[in-house]
Amino acid sequence: MDNIRAVVVDPQVPGRLAIKEVAPPSPTPSEVLVRVAAISLNRGEVRRAMNAEAGWQPGWDLAGTIEVAAADGSSPREKCRVVGFVPNGAWKEVVAVPTHAIATLPDSVSFAQAATLPVAGLTALHALAKAGSLLDRNVLITGASGGVGNFACQLARLSGATVVAHVRNAEFEASVKHTGAHIVVSGDDLSPAREFGPYDLILESVGGATLSVALSLLAPDGVCVLFGTSASSEVTFNASKFYATGGASLYGFILFHELKREPASVGLQRLVNLVANGQLRPHIDVEAPWTEVASIAQQLTDRRFAGKAVLHFS
């Protein structure tokens, strides 16, 4: 295979992201080669790209068509439409993806929809599972206007939970309510959510004062799953009140760690099926050609949109 084009870190260009020719991937026997049709951007990979060394290839989420099936026979056939997840390097024309990290796509699920699922969808899916059954239980989701928050609101409601969502910007209240939240509170202060608690499960990604308040809103045996600190990593909280709640816990969540327990393919197929059945609706705010990656990445960093950004390959 000839050289392919990929997004690579280049500290000398505006936005540090450039499209350059690179060597094609060499798959292991248990990997497929996927011709990429769409990718989605996540803040984590964009943040890393802003500090990574020259030549690093970012990207986690991709959707496309299998160009070369796995040599060990563990993959779907060639020309099959799939969604995939890789630790890095998804933002290029052809990607080697382990067969345990792909799921097949029915024709009813677009590449754009599928590309939103790996990081945001899997994070929501695995984080919600930390409290067991959610039927008739109270769930609080902070940062609910983002990609993970959007999926979490929908999935929690599908699971039978009463969903309370928190957004810092009041202009997102209506859209978050539309995604499935029963109640939405807005503003920098999470305290108004106390009225609707206590909570059996809290998904928290803001940190700082928001995390401090969240820990005080847990029900006995409740779990706060922390998967981000978009506001601040410095937290002061009332420790005596926290342990006096009884059985309350704070869980540090990293998706790559969760996927050691269950292959990405399992959760991805669940999410794909929900999208196909019309039960899960990816929120895509921005769609653009992948050649605009530097500009869209900057918009994501600046929080100019709330939903997912999807880039298409021509």
Side-chain angles (χ1 to χ4, degrees):
M1 182 186 295
D2 295 332
N3 283 352
I4 61 171
R5 293 180 298 165
V7 176
V8 300
V9 170
D10 183 348
Q12 304 305 314
V13 302
R16 291 179 56 89
L17 295 174
I19 295 177
K20 298 184 177 183
E21 284 198 354
V22 299
S26 298
T28 67
S30 60
E31 291 180 329
V32 297
L33 289 184
V34 176
R35 174 69 60 174
V36 177
I39 59 173
S40 76
L41 276 60
N42 300 282
R43 286 192 176 87
E45 62 208 347
V46 171
R47 282 198 300 268
R48 182 177 172 187
M50 295 305 103
N51 298 289
E53 66 280 3
W56 183 69
Q57 298 177 22
W60 296 328
D61 301 347
L62 64 97
T65 305
I66 292 180
E67 193 162 88
V68 179
D72 66 1
S74 62
S75 76
R77 66 188 183 281
E78 293 176 1
K79 298 184 180 179
C80 186
R81 302 169 71 249
V82 295
V83 57
F85 171 77
V86 292
N88 56 68
W91 299 352
K92 56 189 174 189
E93 292 176 312
V94 179
V95 179
V97 187
T99 57
H100 62 70
I102 60 172
T104 58
L105 302 177
D107 291 339
S108 59
V109 178
S110 70
F111 286 131
Q113 290 174 312
T116 68
L117 297 176
V119 169
L122 288 173
T123 296
L125 189 70
H126 284 277
L128 289 170
K130 296 307 172 187
S133 173
L134 297 181
L135 186 63
D136 291 328
R137 304 182 81 184
N138 287 345
V139 174
L140 172 63
I141 299 166
T142 69
S145 61
V148 176
N150 179 276
F151 283 129
C153 286
Q154 295 184 65
L155 292 169
R157 182 153 185 159
L158 280 172
S159 300
T162 297
V163 183
V164 178
H166 173 251
V167 295
R168 283 179 281 179
N169 193 330
E171 71 179 76
F172 296 133
E173 284 189 22
S175 63
V176 170
K177 190 76 174 287
H178 181 70
T179 66
H182 294 91
I183 300 164
V184 182
V185 296
S186 61
D188 292 330
D189 185 5
L190 183 61
S191 296
R194 189 180 306 276
E195 175 185 351
F196 310 104
Y199 298 95
D200 302 291
L201 176 65
I202 300 175
L203 268 58
E204 217 294 278
S205 60
V206 180
T210 299
L211 175 57
S212 177
V213 174
L215 293 174
S216 73
L217 303 182
L218 286 169
D221 297 315
V223 182
C224 178
V225 179
L226 178 67
F227 62 94
T229 52
S230 61
S232 174
S233 59
E234 298 296 323
V235 182
T236 301
F237 71 102
N238 188 323
S240 62
K241 184 175 181 179
F242 179 71
Y243 72 70
T245 301
S249 61
L250 174 63
Y251 185 93
F253 183 100
I254 297 176
L255 180 59
F256 294 98
H257 178 75
E258 303 301 320
L259 295 180
K260 295 177 183 177
R261 299 188 177 102
E262 179 182 275
S265 57
V266 176
L268 283 174
Q269 201 64 64
R270 291 190 190 121
L271 294 167
V272 167
N273 292 343
L274 289 172
V275 174
N277 294 334
Q279 296 175 285
L280 187 66
R281 299 176 302 278
H283 178 196
I284 301 172
D285 253 354
V286 174
E287 294 188 71
W290 76 299
T291 51
E292 297 181 20
V293 61
S295 172
I296 302 302
Q298 186 61 57
Q299 292 178 42
L300 179 67
T301 300
D302 294 341
R303 299 184 180 276
R304 297 184 199 172
F305 54 88
K308 294 290 291 180
V310 172
L311 303 183
H312 296 271
F313 286 60
S314 55

